[in-house]
Amino acid sequence: MNRKDIMLQRQLQTRMVQTGKAPVYEGGSPVNPPVVRASTVVFDNVAQQRDLRARRSGERVFTYGARGNPTGFALEDAVSELEGAYRTRLFPTGLAAIAMTLLSYLKPGDHLLMSDAVYEPARKLAESFLAPYRIRCTFFAADGSDVEGKIEPATRMIYAECPGSLVYEMCDLPRLADIAHRHDALLVCDNTWGSGCQYRPLALGADVSVMAATKYLSGHSDVMMGTVATTEAAWPALSARSDAFGMTVSPDDAYLVLRGIRSLAARLAMHEQHALRVAGYLQSCPDVRAVFCPALPEHPGHDIWKRDCTGTNGLLSFEFQPQVTREAADQWIDSLELFGLGASWGGYESLVTPADLPSARSVTDWSGHGCIVRLHIGLESPDDLIADLGQAFDAISRD
Ligand SMILES: *Cc1c(COP(=O)(O)O)cnc(C)c1O
């Protein structure tokens, strides 16, 4: 059995620790790969330079800083392990990864089917940038139920996000993969929620999986990065287009994300445990109408979550009762002491942010709902977090 086969037999948690190691030096080697800062790469002779340049579009060779660096290569390998991918490219942000994915596979005249539940800037990109380039976009219901009917002869990509942003709608990814492939289209999935641990789109039939490594992979709210992991068939188009656009990341940032990945499984397990405690508390609060988290049996799509996910994370959202006004909901948020008010998530700390569902969805009408708030439950003691949430409910002024 060769090394690759042995690695594949091992559990994902083991592979995450084993992958992307430092080179061996005489006298021993450090645990972690070095940060290799480089723009120019120098060669021994012209023949070697020509040879490496000829091979670089297909193979991973180190020829110039814009084509990636060894620290980034180690991170790419770690992400490929997480995603079960052929290979991975790194991008300066999660949004850049999404943009490059759309630009790599779509051309003028093509039609894109995008989930109603996508990260909002992805929707804006499709509407404001792709449309003038004659790449049309239609949104499909977050649960994927209307996809078949919305396929057109020109549809070349189905772009899903599962669970969806803000309220975590589940879709049946293997079914979407089947529809996409029957119509000569690619299935892309934003996998930031699952982070390659709780959900693995490529194993469920997707061709391309995109993640904002800014979130759980980095895990410490101090670095921006995006990743795109693909099957072997989908790789050449992404790789060529990313090279054409000069997409790369700094080795220092790659080092930080690789370091974050080493503790990813442990952090996610703790985020999950704390979030489920808080979810149970919120469900018992009279001001709360609904709690959104796919691990809850009441959640629509819970059965798909059970089938396709291995756990949940620190994200949960909830809806206030309709009589709680916008002002009171804002007052509740402002009263929290342990939750930072901010976008993004996936760091070790708890966060809160209002979620404007009516403006984030166009297929489903969310206008009749109470105010919705998104929480990211961090690694703090859940008892302290619950006490903080409780004092904020007490602080709401009531008529
Ligand atoms: C945050 C996020 C992104 C974008 O990542 P950035 O690194 O902030 O650009 C993309 N998709 C999802 C689902 C996200 O939550």
Side-chain angles (χ1 to χ4, degrees), residues 91-98 117-122 159 161-166 190-193 210-215 223-226 315 343-345 374:
F91 299 90
T93 63
L95 184 56
I98 294 169
V118 287
Y119 174 68
E120 253 186 297
Y159 183 104
E161 183 177 322
C162 185
S165 274
L166 305 176
D190 185 326
N191 189 29
T192 303
W193 184 97
V210 182
M211 297 193 289
T214 309
K215 310 283 171 59
V223 55
M224 303 291 305
M225 198 176 294
L315 283 174
S344 203
W345 42 269
R374 182 180 73 196

Side-chain angles (χ1 to χ4, degrees), residues 202-220:
L202 298 181
L204 296 170
D207 304 283
V208 177
S209 179
V210 182
M211 297 193 289
T214 309
K215 310 283 171 59
Y216 282 119
L217 269 57
S218 125
H220 294 75

Side-chain angles (χ1 to χ4, degrees), residues 97 145 191 331 353:
S145 54
N191 189 29
Q331 190 186 12
T353 195

Side-chain angles (χ1 to χ4, degrees), residues 151-221:
I151 287 265
E152 299 180 15
T155 307
R156 292 285 80 84
M157 181 189 288
I158 298 178
Y159 183 104
E161 183 177 322
C162 185
S165 274
L166 305 176
V167 288
Y168 324 112
E169 302 97 325
M170 295 297 303
C171 65
D172 187 342
L173 212 65
R175 196 180 135 259
L176 293 192
D178 177 55
I179 296 172
H181 298 151
R182 273 194 279 116
H183 292 89
D184 194 24
L186 285 179
L187 177 63
V188 174
C189 185
D190 185 326
N191 189 29
T192 303
W193 184 97
S195 289
C197 273
Q198 314 295 50
Y199 192 57
R200 304 185 81 216
L202 298 181
L204 296 170
D207 304 283
V208 177
S209 179
V210 182
M211 297 193 289
T214 309
K215 310 283 171 59
Y216 282 119
L217 269 57
S218 125
H220 294 75
S221 304

Side-chain angles (χ1 to χ4, degrees), residues 70-93:
T71 321
F73 297 158
L75 173 58
E76 288 171 5
D77 288 343
V79 174
S80 296
E81 282 291 337
L82 273 177
E83 295 272 39
Y86 172 66
R87 282 184 64 181
T88 297
R89 278 298 290 229
L90 307 175
F91 299 90
T93 63

